[in-house]
Amino acid sequence: MTWMLFLEIFVLSLLGVSLTLNMYFASLKYTSPTFVTSVVNTIASITFVIAIVLRMEIVDVKSARGLAKIAGTVVSFAGVTTMTLYKGAAFASPWNAPIHIQGSNAVHDSWLKGSFLAVASCLCWSIWYILQASSVKRYPAELSLTAWMATIGGIQSVAFTLFLQHKKEDWLIGFGLKFWCIIYSGITCSGFTVFAQLWCTEKKGPVFVTMFNPLSTIMVAILAYFIFGENLYVGSIIGGVVVIAGLYMLLWGKEKNQEYNASGEEQVADLDCEKQQAKITGASSAKNGS
């Protein structure tokens, strides 16, 4: 492994593991799981904007597919703005939650702070998607790349914790719910999920990977409300629906753009075949005439 490749993996670990996840979990402390997973749906729109800035994405504003991508991005950002600035009334769970987490129904006094942390986390995640799309081409071993990012990201997180957490109780985990949450997050989130995202990014591209994020929002909302007794807020529900609508507008435009590019390549291939056939026919005719 060269130093340049190691530096690239270090940056990927910072953006995709340590910095992103630390801001993600910090935003959960100030907001709610439903809110955070709704904001995550803007990753596709942020990735799309960054891809345009880097000239990795071309938008035809005169076509329906181009307008759909632009409109979807604007709608997604409007949804995030709604969730950030408008919290709304709370819908409390009508029965006692089977699993109760201490402080889950506490009033969040730093909702705006948590909102900015969630958006910043999504921004880092989007940059990570863009960078890993090129990194996978130079380092095609997805499982090995996942292991490297998880290891380096873990070391970076330890450094963050040493700098920010100085109390002894902050380092005590025990063998309760906190311990099993860490084990589950390490195996599922930092292991299998990252590997699956790398594989899908290589096969379908960075925008395609984010199209399944709304499923996470729906499942989190159901589990948080019915199992953990979390409150659902009107602003999060309205903004979440708007963000998901914008996401699928963007993905529809992306799909139509891929179909258009594929048909254009087929037409070019057909023209090349026709020209080649014409040259062969002309050469045969000239040979027969002589």
Side-chain angles (χ1 to χ4, degrees), residues 12-287:
L12 286 174
S13 304
L14 182 67
L15 294 174
V17 181
S18 57
L19 185 60
T20 298
L21 292 180
N22 276 284
M23 289 191 295
Y24 181 88
F25 289 127
S27 66
L28 283 172
K29 178 181 178 181
Y30 299 116
T31 56
S32 68
T34 305
F35 172 86
V36 175
T37 52
S38 297
V39 174
V40 168
N41 291 313
T42 61
I43 291 177
S45 299
I46 299 174
T47 303
F48 174 67
V49 172
I50 296 175
I52 292 177
V53 174
L54 298 178
R55 296 185 178 182
M56 298 173 63
E57 186 85 20
I58 299 175
V59 181
D60 184 5
V61 296
K62 297 181 180 179
S63 64
R65 60 185 184 276
L67 293 175
K69 290 192 285 187
I70 295 174
T73 302
V74 174
V75 170
S76 293
F77 290 150
V80 171
T81 304
T82 301
M83 289 188 292
T84 302
L85 301 180
Y86 175 66
K87 187 176 181 180
F91 293 99
S93 182
W95 54 73
N96 293 328
I99 301 175
H100 180 72
I101 299 178
Q102 185 178 2
S104 61
N105 285 323
V107 177
H108 301 289
D109 296 326
S110 302
W111 188 271
L112 190 62
K113 180 180 179 180
S115 301
F116 283 123
L117 284 171
V119 173
S121 174
C122 292
L123 178 61
C124 290
W125 233 327
S126 298
I127 298 174
W128 178 64
Y129 277 121
I130 294 292
L131 292 178
Q132 75 175 4
S134 59
S135 297
V136 169
K137 296 178 181 178
R138 290 190 293 272
Y139 195 88
E142 294 92 349
L143 192 58
S144 176
L145 183 59
T146 302
W148 273 107
M149 285 194 295
T151 302
I152 297 176
I155 296 173
Q156 292 170 345
S157 295
V158 170
F160 292 155
T161 308
L162 288 172
F163 181 74
L164 297 174
Q165 303 294 341
H166 304 106
K167 298 180 180 179
K168 181 180 178 181
E169 55 268 21
D170 293 331
W171 292 85
L172 299 177
I173 299 175
F175 292 95
L177 181 61
K178 184 186 294 186
F179 172 79
W180 293 110
C181 285
I182 293 173
I183 297 297
Y184 174 81
S185 299
I187 296 174
T188 305
C189 301
S190 299
F192 173 75
T193 301
V194 174
F195 169 72
Q197 287 176 342
L198 286 170
W199 185 83
C200 291
T201 299
E202 182 185 13
K203 300 297 181 181
K204 293 292 186 178
V207 176
F208 174 84
V209 176
T210 59
M211 72 178 296
F212 297 99
N213 284 335
L215 293 176
S216 174
T217 302
I218 296 171
M219 289 187 287
V220 165
I222 293 173
L223 290 173
Y225 187 70
F226 291 103
I227 305 299
F228 296 99
E230 276 278 355
N231 293 334
L232 289 180
Y233 295 93
V234 174
S236 296
I237 296 173
I238 296 175
V241 171
V242 173
V243 168
I244 292 174
L247 172 65
Y248 281 111
M249 289 173 64
L250 171 63
L251 293 173
W252 180 87
K254 183 70 176 177
E255 181 183 3
K256 294 300 180 182
N257 192 69
Q258 290 177 348
E259 292 177 357
Y260 176 80
N261 292 335
S263 62
E265 291 176 358
E266 289 179 358
Q267 291 177 359
V268 171
D270 292 339
L271 288 174
D272 291 339
C273 290
E274 291 177 0
K275 289 180 181 179
Q276 188 174 3
Q277 186 65 33
K279 288 181 181 180
I280 294 174
T281 304
S284 300
S285 299
K287 184 177 181 180

